[in-house]
Amino acid sequence: MELDSRVEFKNDVAAEVDDFILMPQPDRRENARQISVMLVAKLDAAGRELLCRVHNISSGGAKIETRAKLSIGEEIRIEFRSNLSIAGTVRWQNGAYAGVEFTEAADLDAVLKKTGISIARVKPRLPRYNCKVPAKLESDQRSIHCEAIDISANGVRLDKVRNLKPTENLTLVIAGLSRRKVTIVWNRDDQAGVKFINPLRYDEFENWLAWNQDESSARPEAKDGLSTK
């Protein structure tokens, strides 16, 4: 499944949630205010962190698309960005679609508004997903083995790495993902933040997260000689 071509990804490390909105349009029903959207969000369910798409949302709930197998009555959480997440309960699931009733009324304006830098000068980020996966940074002159410890569609935080220069361009190899060009954003205390020059596509990221977090299946050997074992 290819990501709709209308969805544009920006290259900011702390991208705004608006990067993933497909021109929200009001649903023309006369009952509760319901907004038709195409939001990419993080789904926390049963200890797993997966991608989901929010197709419509109201103050009371949402219709989501997910590959996760949910249970009726299951408590989940949807994270739209680093400063906004909403708890809810699964009320129905039909194939890839599920209905979620929010535990508390959602502030739709907060969900849909453009995000900016707060008074504390902190810019909300895209949801990040914990991982612990072998990785490698490569250039013509060197090869640095390290570990990816969290990831978003726009970038990765690496551990066990040093002596990198901000704005330096390298190739990143992560177990299970294709090789990607990245820019170093910061490097301190043996950790580094890198930005994908071309952000991950929805389908690629969704498949990788499911593969990475599926504890019931043996993880396949990754590309470029990296192993998850």
Side-chain angles (χ1 to χ4, degrees):
M1 179 172 59
E2 293 294 327
L3 184 65
D4 193 301
S5 60
R6 291 174 292 173
V7 180
E8 296 182 356
F9 291 96
K10 299 176 184 175
N11 283 334
D12 295 339
V13 175
E16 299 177 4
V17 70
D18 307 83
D19 299 350
F20 297 94
I21 296 178
L22 258 184
M23 298 184 302
Q25 296 293 330
D27 216 346
R28 296 299 182 184
R29 289 184 248 185
E30 294 181 357
N31 54 7
R33 180 190 179 196
Q34 188 167 16
I35 308 296
S36 296
V37 296
M38 181 63 80
L39 291 171
V40 174
K42 175 180 175 179
L43 174 65
D44 285 321
R48 291 166 63 87
E49 299 177 336
L50 299 170
L51 280 180
C52 72
R53 285 189 175 110
V54 179
H55 285 267
N56 60 54
I57 186 170
S58 70
S59 61
K63 176 183 176 182
I64 67 172
E65 178 185 357
T66 175
R67 64 186 298 161
K69 301 301 181 183
L70 304 174
S71 301
I72 306 303
E74 180 177 354
E75 295 181 356
I76 59 94
R77 180 170 290 273
I78 300 172
E79 181 181 335
F80 296 93
R81 53 184 181 269
S82 60
N83 68 337
L84 179 59
S85 65
I86 303 174
T89 302
V90 178
R91 293 307 182 196
W92 59 266
Q93 185 167 31
N94 184 5
Y97 298 95
V100 178
E101 180 182 4
F102 295 145
T103 303
E104 297 182 355
D107 183 343
L108 297 187
D109 292 333
V111 172
L112 299 175
K113 77 175 182 180
K114 278 185 170 292
T115 58
I117 298 175
S118 68
I119 295 175
R121 297 186 179 276
V122 175
K123 186 174 183 179
R125 304 177 306 176
L126 295 179
R128 305 192 71 85
Y129 300 78
N130 294 318
C131 61
K132 191 174 182 180
V133 183
K136 182 169 58 174
L137 287 166
E138 296 180 336
S139 69
D140 293 337
Q141 293 78 32
R142 56 180 173 162
S143 180
I144 304 171
H145 289 267
C146 51
E147 187 173 64
I149 57 176
D150 75 41
I151 186 170
S152 75
N154 280 355
V156 182
R157 182 159 60 107
L158 301 173
D159 194 19
K160 304 174 184 177
V161 61
R162 59 174 60 187
N163 299 325
L164 299 175
K165 298 178 181 179
T167 73
E168 183 178 5
N169 292 326
L170 298 168
T171 297
L172 176 64
V173 186
I174 294 181
L177 283 176
S178 58
R179 300 164 65 89
R180 310 194 73 84
K181 297 291 186 181
V182 297
T183 299
I184 307 301
V185 179
W186 56 267
N187 183 200
R188 59 181 178 272
D189 300 328
D190 295 334
Q191 293 191 354
V194 304
K195 177 179 69 174
F196 295 132
I197 292 177
N198 293 308
L200 297 173
R201 300 189 318 273
Y202 180 93
D203 57 344
E204 181 180 14
F205 195 23
E206 179 186 40
N207 290 336
W208 186 86
L209 287 171
W211 165 80
N212 181 58
Q213 297 189 52
D214 189 356
E215 299 178 356
S216 64
S217 300
R219 291 178 175 179
E221 192 166 300
K223 301 176 183 180
D224 295 283
L226 290 173
S227 172
T228 59
K229 296 182 180 180

